[in-house]
Amino acid sequence: MCPVCSASSSRVHSRYQRTLTDAPVAGRLVRILLRVRRFFCGNPECRSKTFAEQVDGLTRRWTRTSEGLRRMLTEIGLAFSRRSSTAARSCDAVSIWSARSPT
């Protein structure tokens, strides 16, 4: 479904691999390699000519983290909103990268 005009489409434009960072397991970084499709928007009046499919509960547009990791980071941020150094140490303690992950 097109995120701009909500028109459904079955015309596949292309496919590509998307890499998501997920919540760590046993202190190890978890990456999800996801193959997604791009679709043509069938509405000629829509400004979006193509759009990528999203996996409910896992992906969001333009993000590189899973929904689970996003929720976890949000909770940590809210819990330590007045003490940023404590939040950073807490993220380090559970092996969460709060910025772009190193390669």
Side-chain angles (χ1 to χ4, degrees):
M1 182 177 297
C2 177
V4 175
C5 71
S6 300
S8 62
S9 177
S10 59
R11 284 186 55 210
V12 176
H13 174 274
S14 59
R15 290 174 174 81
Y16 69 98
Q17 183 171 298
R18 188 171 174 183
T19 304
L20 301 174
T21 302
D22 199 11
V25 174
R28 304 282 311 243
L29 182 67
V30 175
R31 297 210 188 236
I32 299 171
L33 302 178
L34 188 63
R35 189 161 170 89
V36 295
R37 299 172 291 184
R38 290 196 67 79
F39 292 94
F40 288 103
C41 181
N43 181 357
E45 296 175 6
C46 181
R47 72 176 197 270
S48 177
K49 301 302 178 201
T50 65
F51 60 93
E53 69 182 328
Q54 301 300 318
V55 179
D56 289 336
L58 183 64
T59 63
R60 271 192 182 185
R61 293 174 70 190
W62 302 304
T63 61
R64 294 181 181 174
T65 58
S66 69
E67 278 297 293
L69 179 58
R70 187 191 66 78
R71 283 190 302 269
M72 186 183 295
L73 290 173
T74 300
E75 289 297 319
I76 290 171
L78 290 173
F80 296 108
S81 62
R82 294 191 181 126
R83 300 183 116 148
S84 61
S85 61
T86 303
R89 283 194 303 273
S90 297
C91 286
D92 288 342
V94 292
S95 301
I96 295 175
W97 293 99
S98 55
R100 193 169 220 198
S101 299
T103 55

